[in-house]
Amino acid sequence: MAYRRTASVVTRLEDNRARILAAARDLVAEGGWRHAHVATVAEKAGVATGTVYRYFPSKAELFAEVLAIVSRRERDVVAAIVDGDGAPAARMRGAVQAFAKRALRGRRLAHAMIVEPCEPEIDAARLEWRAALGEEFVRLVRLGQEQGAFRDCDPRIAAACVVGAFMEALVGPLAPEAFGEGDAASRLIGEIADGCLAIVAKPPARTP
């Protein structure tokens, strides 16, 4: 007779997996990819190291899943702004500012997500995330062009420049002493948004 998992067993297995992923995310947020180890994840999640490997055959697969979960959340935030109300320029500014503000709240995690060296499997997941995030900005650039708000350009190139610009601008200033707090952080976020908007803005009309 085939063994069937009871509802309580399924719930326990799902709970274990969720706790492992949450623990792994917290450790990356605290110290980056290099300082998060499977044994430490297991200890933080309250499971045996072997249990972690039952769900994730390798460390790289575990942290690639962590990156995928975090990146989906970031993309959803941007997508909601792109699909929201307001002029295209306001949505562009809002999307960039939302990303930057979230990066400021989780500086170490953002650094790992954007630039920290990691295993090839994690880096591949990171590239997929950047491509998916870029697609949201492609949609926004096209919308702005359709409404006559953005200049005539290749939407994919423009979106790549926008994503590259705000990510590169955030990499260096992620350290608290460089990024600043309060008004200083707000000014920096505003300047990043201004720079991204300038990539797609229409040039001023020439006076005859």
Side-chain angles (χ1 to χ4, degrees):
M1 181 175 179
Y3 169 74
R4 291 186 178 182
R5 292 174 175 173
T6 63
S8 61
V9 170
V10 171
T11 299
R12 178 171 56 80
L13 293 173
E14 291 175 348
D15 179 64
N16 282 346
R17 191 175 194 278
R19 284 191 290 120
I20 290 167
L21 288 167
R25 181 199 176 281
D26 289 346
L27 288 169
V28 174
E30 292 166 8
W33 305 117
R34 276 186 272 180
H35 296 285
H37 305 287
V38 172
T40 314
V41 170
E43 181 180 1
K44 189 174 183 66
V47 300
T49 301
T51 301
V52 176
Y53 284 113
R54 289 195 197 104
Y55 291 90
F56 304 96
S58 68
K59 174 186 173 181
E61 289 188 44
L62 167 60
F63 288 107
E65 179 67 14
V66 170
L67 190 146
I69 291 171
V70 175
S71 64
R72 279 195 297 269
R73 188 175 302 127
E74 298 304 319
R75 181 186 182 181
D76 288 346
V77 169
V78 170
I81 295 171
V82 173
D83 291 328
D85 299 324
R91 294 190 221 181
M92 175 70 75
R93 184 182 298 280
V96 173
Q97 287 180 328
F99 187 96
K101 287 176 183 177
R102 291 169 68 82
L104 175 58
R105 287 199 297 266
R107 295 184 181 102
R108 196 65 194 80
L109 180 60
H111 186 266
M113 293 285 294
I114 295 171
V115 72
E116 184 182 347
C118 56
E119 285 90 340
E121 294 91 339
I122 301 174
D123 194 44
R126 182 158 59 189
L127 291 175
E128 288 180 10
W129 164 56
R130 291 186 69 150
L133 186 65
E135 287 299 319
E136 300 304 327
F137 284 94
V138 170
R139 292 199 299 121
L140 182 52
V141 172
R142 284 177 175 156
L143 175 67
Q145 290 174 332
E146 291 169 1
Q147 296 185 11
F150 294 160
R151 66 184 179 86
D152 184 22
C153 59
D154 186 321
R156 292 195 170 278
I157 293 175
C161 289
V162 168
V163 173
F166 67 70
M167 285 194 175
E168 287 301 316
L170 286 168
V171 167
L174 280 173
E177 65 271 16
F179 204 110
E181 301 287 349
D183 291 341
S186 296
R187 283 195 299 272
L188 179 57
I189 290 171
E191 289 178 5
I192 292 172
D194 288 344
C196 291
L197 190 54
I199 293 172
V200 294
K202 286 181 123 179
R206 294 182 180 179
T207 55

